Amino acid sequence: MYTFGSRVRYSETDEYGKLTLTGIMNYFQDCSTFQSEELGLGIAYLEEKKRAWWLSSWQIVIDRYPLLGEEIVVGTWPYDFKGFYGYRNFTICDKLGNYLVRANSVWFFFDTEKGRPAKVTPDDIRGYMESGHEPLKMEYSPGKIKVPSNRRTAEPVIIGKHHIDTNHHVNNAQYVQITREVLPETIQVRELRVDYKKAAVFGNVVLPYICRTEEGYIVSLQDEQGTAYANLWLRTGDREEQI
């Protein structure tokens, strides 16, 4: 497992003094990036090989939101590679080692020159699996997110430069931020699933379609032709029910 310690900053919290959902995802991205950079498999390596790791899906379970000023330990480990897919767990723990957030993610290796998935070679993952890791014990989500037909629309979002990352398309956490802003402020997300379908780029128009469910919400972020950029499933509760 690769870990780094941190303390929740004021700039990372919401109006209730808790680490935001986007902040959680940013910690996870930073953690896996730090590991890759230390192994010599980071951004420079990938750019030279005309490769990129693109995210296919997230599942994030929040046991408790970290608080302003709280000391936390962020951890990650890949537990399997198959074909052009990579599977990686993430955790955020308090200073006593208790889980605050647990997550699973699926990535795919992409040939940026040919514009298609690429098979992972041993050289691409050297160091990741030296000690071997088992998948995190959690209830893994079943299959892809199914978007119901009964839905309402929210105001379109035009992709700006602040949404874009080093891959020159919308960062995976930004789809969640867009979704969070079209849902009621009073809800608290307890579990998040995201299926990424198509990369949005600067200037694209994103149309949010919102479906209320028994557990919370399903949101489909689509282009003007009705093709999904990302589908999101959120299990929610009221903020009064503190986690």
Side-chain angles (χ1 to χ4, degrees):
M1 177 190 290
Y2 180 89
T3 65
F4 77 94
S6 188
R7 189 177 182 189
V8 178
R9 300 164 178 82
Y10 180 77
S11 59
E12 300 169 331
T13 59
D14 60 17
E15 60 185 306
Y16 302 95
K18 296 181 179 181
L19 181 63
T20 64
L21 182 54
T22 306
I24 288 170
M25 298 178 73
N26 287 337
Y27 269 117
F28 287 161
Q29 291 183 82
D30 289 344
C31 193
S32 60
T33 300
F34 291 160
Q35 182 185 33
S36 297
E37 292 293 335
E38 288 195 14
L39 290 172
L41 301 174
I43 293 174
Y45 169 84
L46 293 170
E47 286 182 346
E48 182 180 352
K49 290 201 66 176
K50 308 297 183 185
R51 296 289 189 272
W53 280 106
W54 285 7
L55 193 57
S56 177
S57 66
W58 268 122
Q59 180 189 9
I60 300 174
V61 178
I62 300 161
D63 299 304
R64 177 173 70 79
Y65 280 89
L67 303 173
L68 170 64
E70 185 170 3
E71 295 180 14
I72 58 175
V73 176
V74 187
T76 187
W77 64 96
Y79 60 88
D80 200 7
F81 294 93
K82 294 179 180 178
F84 52 80
Y85 284 106
Y87 302 83
R88 179 182 283 272
N89 286 136
F90 293 85
T91 60
I92 296 178
C93 296
D94 64 16
K95 61 183 180 181
L96 299 178
N98 300 307
Y99 288 133
L100 302 180
V101 186
R102 296 165 290 151
N104 185 53
S105 60
V106 181
W107 304 71
F108 64 96
F109 208 44
F110 194 77
D111 186 323
T112 57
E113 188 172 46
K114 296 180 179 178
R116 64 189 186 193
K119 188 174 181 180
V120 177
T121 69
D123 197 48
D124 296 321
I125 58 174
R126 63 182 188 276
Y128 280 137
M129 303 288 285
E130 283 184 352
S131 57
H133 291 292
E134 294 296 323
L136 179 67
K137 290 183 179 180
M138 58 183 286
E139 187 175 340
Y140 288 85
S141 60
K144 296 293 184 180
I145 298 167
K146 296 181 179 178
V147 180
S149 57
N150 58 319
R151 59 194 188 186
R152 63 179 177 86
T153 59
E155 287 294 318
V157 176
I158 299 176
I159 297 303
K161 292 183 179 179
H162 66 284
H163 294 111
I164 306 300
D165 63 17
T166 57
N167 290 314
H168 309 295
H169 55 62
V170 174
N171 182 266
N172 74 85
Q174 290 297 322
Y175 293 101
V176 176
Q177 183 63 32
I178 290 170
T179 298
R180 191 64 191 87
E181 291 177 0
V182 300
L183 294 179
E185 295 181 4
T186 55
I187 65 170
Q188 183 114 296
V189 178
R190 280 87 184 292
E191 182 175 354
L192 168 72
R193 292 166 49 200
V194 189
D195 291 338
Y196 296 96
K197 300 293 188 180
K198 172 186 171 183
V201 298
F202 177 67
N204 282 162
V205 176
V206 176
L207 303 173
Y209 292 92
I210 304 167
C211 312
R212 189 73 169 92
T213 67
E214 291 183 2
E215 299 90 355
Y217 294 88
I218 291 175
V219 178
S220 183
L221 302 177
Q222 301 183 6
D223 66 14
E224 294 173 290
Q225 287 71 48
T227 300
Y229 291 115
N231 294 325
L232 301 92
W233 178 95
L234 304 95
R235 179 167 59 85
T236 65
D238 294 331
R239 284 198 177 275
E240 286 72 19
E241 303 171 22
Q242 298 294 317
I243 64 170

